[in-house]
Amino acid sequence: QVQLVESGGGLVQAGGSLRLSCVASGLTFSRYSMGWFRQAPGKEREFVASISWTVRSTGYADSVKGRFTISRDNAKNTVYLQMNSLKPEDTAVYYCAAPKSSFTDYSTTLTSYDYWGLGTQVTVSS
């Protein structure tokens, strides 16, 4: 049974930083591309960042490029999202996601992911 558990969210002032973590279990983590998505109140869930299982490829939403960095530590079964220069519009619940199939390249599409964590709240005050 695949489980994804996010942590690291919180309240931060605009311009601040947070690092989100997602620990995965129930899958051979090093074989899976991983993604981060977010959902603000009243809005649809949207892509934030993803990283391939090879670690050689990453993708970012235009809105976070240059501010957010996705990384992974396969020894710890963990994917991270370092968020810098946070803005009030980054306020959302952030979700970690994994696809059903291993050895697939990273995807920016929500429907490519089958396993989801419960999310962690990030609130950025102005």
Side-chain angles (χ1 to χ4, degrees):
Q1 179 179 351
V2 176
Q3 283 195 317
L4 304 174
V5 180
E6 303 96 337
S7 62
L11 173 63
V12 64
Q13 288 190 331
S17 298
L18 284 173
R19 188 176 82 154
L20 306 184
S21 300
C22 170
V23 179
S25 60
L27 74 172
T28 306
F29 180 75
S30 62
R31 299 177 181 179
Y32 287 81
S33 296
M34 299 293 295
W36 284 99
F37 289 75
R38 67 186 181 187
Q39 188 166 17
K43 295 189 176 181
E44 293 186 350
R45 193 168 298 190
E46 64 176 6
F47 169 74
V48 176
S50 57
I51 185 167
S52 68
W53 67 276
T54 64
V55 195
R56 288 197 289 267
S57 299
T58 57
Y60 296 92
D62 288 343
S63 59
V64 308
K65 256 178 208 175
R67 300 188 297 122
F68 291 11
T69 303
I70 189 170
S71 62
R72 64 191 297 159
D73 185 339
N74 289 340
K76 295 183 178 180
N77 284 7
T78 301
V79 61
Y80 302 98
L81 186 67
Q82 178 66 44
M83 306 187 295
N84 299 329
S85 302
L86 282 160
K87 305 175 181 180
E89 51 264 44
D90 294 318
T91 295
V93 177
Y94 283 70
Y95 298 91
C96 173
K100 185 176 292 184
S101 299
S102 57
F103 302 121
T104 56
D105 202 0
Y106 79 86
S107 174
T108 63
T109 305
L110 187 146
T111 52
S112 297
Y113 295 87
D114 301 281
Y115 303 111
W116 296 85
L118 295 179
T120 185
Q121 175 71 47
V122 171
T123 303
V124 185
S125 63
S126 57

